[in-house]
């Protein structure tokens, strides 16, 4: 499969088959991530692959387990969301957050070295470590797509970050941008389509 086909096939999936991903395939996916550009050329990225179920249960202990559609709708209202496609995407996705992290064939925690406070940047380039780890994550999602594996990211919220770092014994100068849940999609998996856009409407030649 070529790169364009893998990109076009990539979908965010939150419903998985109970089918393992072998270690060789996981290594290929992570290696694809390591081929991404790195802000300081050092690729100061580390990956914790969590397949042990008791550890996974401890890891996601701070993730809210139950959401109602009404609760998600109220949150979207408070956010000011009115677009029906955007709203439906959240209404489908948010209630599945806990279950997808628990049931994915493979849960990968990507970490990046962050030698200064992430949320107190003094200039735009201070965010370079954070920006480059997302290049790495996108490579992994595309590589997974080429393997017939789908996945989704979830940003840790509130007390989750410190809890994750404590469970996996993360060094103090590393940060986690997201959970990465990967697996083979179930037969009835709902694949949320990307928001429809046309490339012609997004390109501005020479000026806005």
């Amino acid at each position: 499969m070529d790169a364009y086909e893998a990109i076009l096939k990539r979908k965010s999936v939150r419903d998985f088959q109970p089918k393992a991903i072998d270690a060789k395939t996981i290594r290929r996916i992570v290696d694809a991530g390591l081929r991404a550009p790195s802000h300081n050329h050092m690729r100061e990225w580390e990956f914790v692959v969590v397949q042990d179920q008791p550890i996974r249960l401890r890891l996601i202990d701070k993730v809210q387990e139950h959401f109602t559609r009404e609760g998600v709708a109220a949150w979207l209202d408070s956010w000011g969301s009115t677009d029906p496609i955007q709203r439906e995407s959240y209404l489908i996705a948010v209630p599945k957050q806990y279950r997808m992290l628990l049931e994915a064939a493979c849960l990968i925690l990507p970490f990046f070295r962050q030698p200064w406070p992430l949320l107190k940047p003094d200039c735009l380039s201070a965010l370079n470590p954070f920006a480059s780890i997302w290049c790495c994550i996108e490579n992994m999602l595309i590589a997974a797509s080429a393997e017939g594996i789908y996945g989704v990211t979830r940003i840790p919220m509130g007390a989750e970050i410190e809890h994750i770092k404590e469970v996996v014994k993360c060094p103090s100068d590393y940060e986690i941008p997201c959970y990465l849940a990967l697996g083979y999609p179930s037969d009835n998996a709902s694949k949320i389509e990307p928001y429809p856009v046309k490339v012609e409407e997004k390109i501005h030649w020479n000026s806005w």
Side-chain angles (χ1 to χ4, degrees), residues 27-115:
R27 289 190 187 98
R28 278 200 302 271
I29 291 170
V30 174
D31 185 58
L34 289 167
R35 306 305 176 103
S38 168
H39 74 286
N40 65 355
H41 314 290
M42 297 299 291
R43 291 175 170 80
E44 294 177 302
W45 307 324
E46 306 291 334
F47 307 87
V48 177
V49 180
V50 184
Q51 292 176 304
D52 180 90
Q53 209 62 358
I55 292 176
R56 194 182 299 204
L57 282 166
R58 280 183 59 209
L59 191 69
I60 65 174
D61 182 59
K62 302 297 182 185
V63 178
Q64 185 171 335
E65 188 171 350
H66 301 292
F67 285 92
T68 64
R69 190 175 175 90
E70 294 73 22
V72 178
W75 172 70
L76 290 168
D77 291 340
S78 71
W79 185 29
S81 170
T82 58
D83 185 273
I85 297 175
Q86 182 189 54
R87 289 180 67 88
E88 188 60 23
S89 294
Y90 276 104
L91 288 166
I92 292 171
V94 172
K96 297 180 179 181
Q97 304 268 300
Y98 181 88
R99 182 169 55 83
M100 76 186 187
L101 296 176
L102 183 63
E103 296 180 358
C106 177
L107 190 60
I108 299 178
L109 307 177
F111 290 87
F112 63 100
R113 186 167 178 270
Q114 179 66 35

Side-chain angles (χ1 to χ4, degrees), residues 58-60 62-63 109 111 154 156-157 159-170 176 178-179:
R58 280 183 59 209
L59 191 69
I60 65 174
K62 302 297 182 185
V63 178
L109 307 177
F111 290 87
R154 181 186 181 278
M157 301 172 64
E160 291 175 44
I161 291 177
E162 291 307 314
H163 177 71
I164 292 167
K165 293 168 79 171
E166 180 181 339
V167 170
V168 302
K169 299 179 174 59
C170 169
I176 179 170
C178 67
Y179 308 85

Side-chain angles (χ1 to χ4, degrees), residues 13 16 100-101 104 106-108 141 150-153 179-183:
V13 171
F16 302 105
M100 76 186 187
L101 296 176
C106 177
L107 190 60
I108 299 178
L141 286 167
Y150 292 87
V152 67
T153 59
Y179 308 85
L180 176 56
L182 298 175

